[in-house]
Amino acid sequence: MKSFKSNLFTVLIVSALSLTPTLAFASPAASTAALSGETADALSQSWMPKSLTSLTASSKPITAAEFAEAMKLAAEEAGTTVSPSGSNISGALTREKAAALLDSVIHVPYAASAGYQDIAGGSPYSKAIANVYTAGLMQGSSSQTFGYGKPLTHREAATIIYRLYQYLQPFKLTEATIAEMQKAMETGRLTSEELVQQYLDRIAKYDDQGPRLNSIITLNDKALETAKQLDAERTAKGERSPLHGIPVIVKDNYNTSDMPTSSGNIGLKDVIPPEDATQVKELRDAGAIIIGKANLHEFAFGYTTVSSLGGQTLNPYDPTRVPGGSSGGTAAAVAANLAAVGMGTDTGGSIRIPSSFNSLVGIRPTVGLSSRYGIAPLALTQDTGGPIARTVEDAAFILNATAGYDPKDIATAKSVGFVPKDYTDYLDKDGLKGARIGIVREVFGDDAQVNAVVSQAIEEMKAAGATLVDNVKIPNFDLINKYGSLSAWEFKFQFNDYLKSLGDATPYKSLDELIASGKYDPSIEKALIDRNNRESLDDQEYKDIVLFRTKYVQEAVLKMMADNHLDALIFPTSSKTAVKIGQEQVAGDAFKLSSFTGWPTVTVPAGFTSDHLPVGIDFFGRAFSEPELIKLAYSFEQHTHHRVAPQTTP
């Protein structure tokens, strides 16, 4: 497994600086209309004191009394009160004394020095400067100097007061990113315990009540206790990684040693595995909190997410529709902001399709990038597990924790030498510029609404600087498309092995015993029986699929991409939108490219149909091309911002 220690402070400060740019200094005669960004926003606030917005006073020093009064007004507007300490300072207010005033009303428990060279070693203001820098309230006059001893101007004060107003507002959970959560915990605005409680409150409000999404099977009754321990660890030692204290929901086919793992089957509802799945262990090692287990299509068999234990999960964008599957519980929970991020599994579209139907980012990694050990199998030749998130960056954080070699899953030996130090290094807003991307029209389908959304996405990629090569053809695709999924062959034998790995925890020793119990959803009975009737994997048809299907499709894709000098391929994730509950969900043939090759796909929101149903688009590439796909998907995401939270779970 790849080491996951990283410099979180750098990540947070880069994030903060992107939100709080360097102040725009203007002469007294400058027009407010000429300003832009944060300074203009600050001056436009109706509650901002006139002395701070006055053009004639903009470059003049502010007094401590004026600054303290402005702090009180900002706090009042943010819904709280503050009492600045030291506001009786006479004369002009210097920058370090302004930092001390700010520090008296904030709480930053994990501050680090910004390394300014103009602060004397024994300065009584060093801690205050570090705190306000960490909180994003004040940056230096340059990267090397704070501006120690220099008076604070009214214009500078206006922007700082505006930052204080934003800082003092209650933390907004919905749509918060991992970096934003970490920033809030780093600056004392939030604890992991509070974060977990907020998610538990939302689960009670929207999963158990309200629209009753029914996305979660089991909650971790130790989540709050774990959060407290991680808060204490952060105070004593610092954070382990960007996932420290972050609540994650995992699909209920990932083994968890402290909660049942059922695969959605009522007969397995009390089965607690002897150890965590490798990816679960890696997430916990990185400091993540497994807040609960998500519903899935029973045994990961289908696209509608219904199970004998969890029932039917609803789509938060339209509760009369399915959420996709088989990782539909994970996707519905993440889309509805019931957890920060989630984990799904994908054999034939089970991460990608629910991500598409819930306006989410999903990564189906290269088979062998991340361990499958401890995940209930469907067909190990095609199985993989990966993140479902609201942003590409959040999904990249998960890959950082879970990618790499695991001796318990020999397939991951292929990843050695292909796992980068940090997937977030590839988050390039201009990543589409100069990229050559092929459009695979032959997997689009005939849904005019889906195709219209994807066509608009193609134009958006062009506007972002990509070269789109239209209607590229996969050689012999008709032949390749005739091959079936290996889940119809492998499930029985690999699931029996999985049951044995559970030891005495499982009530069934074989699939045959489980079927005999009758404890499963009636909708999967035929699929269970058909799979159980397979006598061995020594059949010539199975061997032909294993030997030839992968070879044919990999060679076909590699040739087509090489002939056209392509960096990636794109196509709609699903040829159809989410169907009404009770109807059969179809998704088309696009999923086969990744499932049959074992190569990676990143699904990203592409927009909505006229009836407000999400549509996703897939970026697909060669083996272990996750960095390139993340770069392209992130650039598309940042240029379009198509992700919109569902209205049913505000």
Side-chain angles (χ1 to χ4, degrees):
M1 182 182 73
K2 170 180 174 281
S3 172
F4 192 57
K5 290 292 183 182
S6 64
N7 189 341
L8 176 61
F9 185 71
T10 300
V11 172
L12 295 175
I13 290 302
V14 169
S15 175
L17 290 176
S18 70
L19 297 173
T20 55
T22 303
L23 289 175
F25 292 97
S27 66
S31 167
T32 303
L35 301 173
S36 62
E38 188 183 27
T39 303
D41 289 342
L43 298 182
S44 69
Q45 303 301 309
S46 60
W47 53 265
M48 190 72 71
K50 293 294 187 288
S51 62
L52 271 65
T53 60
S54 168
L55 291 175
T56 58
S58 63
S59 62
K60 295 179 181 179
I62 192 172
T63 67
E66 287 178 300
F67 192 69
E69 187 59 32
M71 289 171 62
K72 293 176 183 178
L73 287 173
E76 182 179 342
E77 190 67 21
T80 186
T81 58
V82 298
S83 299
S85 198
S87 57
N88 58 347
I89 301 169
S90 60
L93 182 67
T94 59
R95 288 174 58 82
E96 68 274 10
K97 291 179 180 178
L101 277 174
L102 291 166
D103 190 41
S104 71
V105 302
I106 64 174
H107 173 63
V108 180
Y110 314 110
S113 172
Y116 295 126
Q117 296 177 2
D118 60 340
I119 303 174
S123 170
Y125 298 102
S126 295
K127 185 175 183 297
I129 291 170
N131 286 342
V132 298
Y133 175 77
T134 302
L137 300 180
M138 288 183 75
Q139 280 80 51
S141 54
S142 74
S143 61
Q144 302 295 315
T145 60
F146 177 70
Y148 198 95
K150 293 182 178 180
L152 188 73
T153 69
H154 282 76
R155 179 57 48 82
E156 291 175 296
T159 305
I160 292 169
I161 291 299
Y162 180 57
R163 292 171 182 166
L164 179 66
Y165 156 70
Q166 294 175 306
Y167 175 92
L168 292 174
Q169 292 183 52
F171 175 75
K172 184 180 178 182
L173 181 69
T174 53
E175 298 299 285
T177 66
I178 288 174
E180 289 167 345
M181 294 174 197
Q182 289 293 356
K183 183 66 180 175
M185 288 189 278
E186 182 80 12
T187 57
R189 296 177 60 208
L190 182 71
T191 65
S192 179
E193 182 184 359
E194 291 168 343
L195 182 61
V196 168
Q197 187 60 62
Q198 288 187 43
Y199 277 126
L200 291 175
D201 291 345
R202 285 185 62 83
I203 289 168
K205 184 175 183 179
Y206 296 122
D207 207 61
D208 302 335
Q209 304 175 52
R212 295 185 184 275
L213 296 178
N214 203 34
S215 66
I216 295 170
I217 286 180
T218 305
L219 285 175
N220 184 353
D221 59 9
K222 296 181 180 178
L224 285 170
E225 178 185 338
T226 302
K228 289 180 185 178
Q229 293 169 354
L230 287 165
D231 284 332
E233 181 181 324
R234 185 191 292 267
T235 301
K237 301 178 182 178
E239 69 292 324
R240 301 184 194 179
S241 82
L243 295 180
H244 190 107
I246 300 297
V248 178
I249 189 83
V250 299
K251 188 176 181 179
D252 200 25
N253 58 353
Y254 281 78
N255 282 357
T256 46
S257 60
D258 54 353
M259 287 176 281
T261 299
S262 70
S263 292
N265 176 255
I266 196 166
L268 300 175
K269 67 183 178 67
D270 297 320
V271 172
I272 298 181
E275 60 181 338
D276 286 337
T278 295
Q279 289 200 54
V280 170
K281 180 182 183 300
E282 290 169 334
L283 289 169
R284 294 195 208 259
D285 288 347
I289 300 167
I290 309 303
I291 195 172
K293 309 291 290 292
N295 194 25
L296 66 155
H297 202 108
E298 193 159 347
F299 297 120
F301 278 0
Y303 291 145
T304 58
T305 302
V306 61
S307 70
S308 59
L309 179 58
Q312 174 68 63
T313 297
L314 312 183
N315 189 315
Y317 288 90
D318 180 351
T320 69
R321 296 179 184 268
V322 304
S326 62
S327 308
T330 301
V334 174
N337 288 273
L338 307 185
V341 285
M343 298 301 294
T345 62
D346 192 308
T347 305
S350 291
I351 286 175
R352 294 162 284 168
I353 291 166
S355 294
S356 172
F357 289 178
N358 288 274
S359 193
L360 295 169
V361 174
I363 299 181
R364 174 189 159 91
T366 304
V367 173
L369 182 73
S370 301
S371 177
R372 287 90 47 87
Y373 180 78
I375 299 175
L378 182 54
L380 285 173
T381 301
Q382 296 174 201
D383 286 353
T384 187
I388 295 176
R390 291 185 290 273
T391 69
V392 176
E393 180 184 60
D394 286 355
F397 282 137
I398 294 291
L399 271 196
N400 276 345
T402 56
Y405 175 61
D406 174 19
K408 295 178 180 179
D409 181 0
I410 191 62
T412 59
K414 294 183 292 185
S415 72
V416 175
F418 292 100
V419 180
K421 182 179 179 181
D422 190 340
Y423 284 101
T424 65
D425 289 342
Y426 299 90
L427 300 175
D428 180 2
K429 183 176 180 180
D430 296 321
L432 282 167
K433 190 175 294 183
R436 285 180 61 84
I437 301 172
I439 306 170
V440 189
R441 296 278 182 186
E442 57 193 318
V443 298
F444 268 49
D446 58 4
D447 189 307
Q449 291 261 359
V450 171
N451 292 344
V453 172
V454 176
S455 294
Q456 179 60 37
I458 289 168
E459 295 306 312
E460 290 165 339
M461 289 181 210
K462 292 178 182 177
T467 297
L468 277 294
V469 182
D470 206 350
N471 203 25
V472 294
K473 298 288 187 180
I474 299 171
N476 302 313
F477 187 69
D478 288 344
L479 172 64
I480 294 165
N481 206 27
K482 291 178 181 178
Y483 284 105
S485 172
L486 288 172
S487 67
W489 289 90
E490 296 181 354
F491 176 73
K492 169 186 175 179
F493 309 101
Q494 294 167 359
F495 188 69
N496 283 345
D497 289 341
Y498 171 76
L499 289 175
K500 291 176 185 176
S501 75
L502 298 174
D504 294 338
T506 175
Y508 310 115
K509 303 303 180 185
S510 67
L511 180 60
D512 195 55
E513 288 185 15
L514 189 149
I515 292 172
S517 75
K519 293 182 177 180
Y520 50 80
D521 192 90
S523 66
I524 67 167
E525 182 172 58
K526 184 178 185 304
L528 284 173
I529 293 173
D530 287 348
R531 284 162 170 79
N532 196 47
N533 285 338
R534 296 287 184 189
E535 295 183 359
S536 78
L537 294 180
D538 204 30
D539 189 283
Q540 189 60 44
E541 182 182 350
Y542 172 73
K543 291 179 180 179
D544 286 347
I545 296 174
V546 174
L547 289 172
F548 299 118
R549 187 192 71 179
T550 302
K551 176 178 181 291
Y552 288 159
V553 69
Q554 287 183 351
E555 289 179 347
V557 171
L558 286 174
K559 176 175 171 51
M560 181 261 278
M561 292 185 71
D563 287 346
N564 291 280
H565 309 288
L566 299 176
D567 299 300
L569 304 176
I570 58 164
F571 38 81
T573 309
S574 171
S575 63
K576 300 288 185 181
T577 54
V579 298
K580 294 283 187 178
I581 290 170
Q583 296 179 351
E584 181 182 358
Q585 181 70 59
V586 295
D589 296 323
F591 76 89
K592 295 178 181 178
L593 290 176
S594 182
S595 295
F596 288 5
T597 59
W599 294 347
T601 299
V602 177
T603 300
V604 67
F608 292 80
T609 63
S610 61
D611 49 355
H612 309 294
L613 295 177
V615 174
I617 195 165
D618 277 6
F619 289 85
F620 167 72
R622 301 172 178 87
F624 299 106
S625 65
E626 284 85 356
E628 177 70 20
L629 299 181
I630 285 171
K631 181 180 74 171
L632 298 175
Y634 179 78
S635 180
F636 178 72
E637 172 193 66
Q638 294 302 302
H639 277 90
T640 60
H641 297 286
H642 284 307
R643 160 77 189 166
V644 177
Q647 295 182 358
T648 61
T649 56

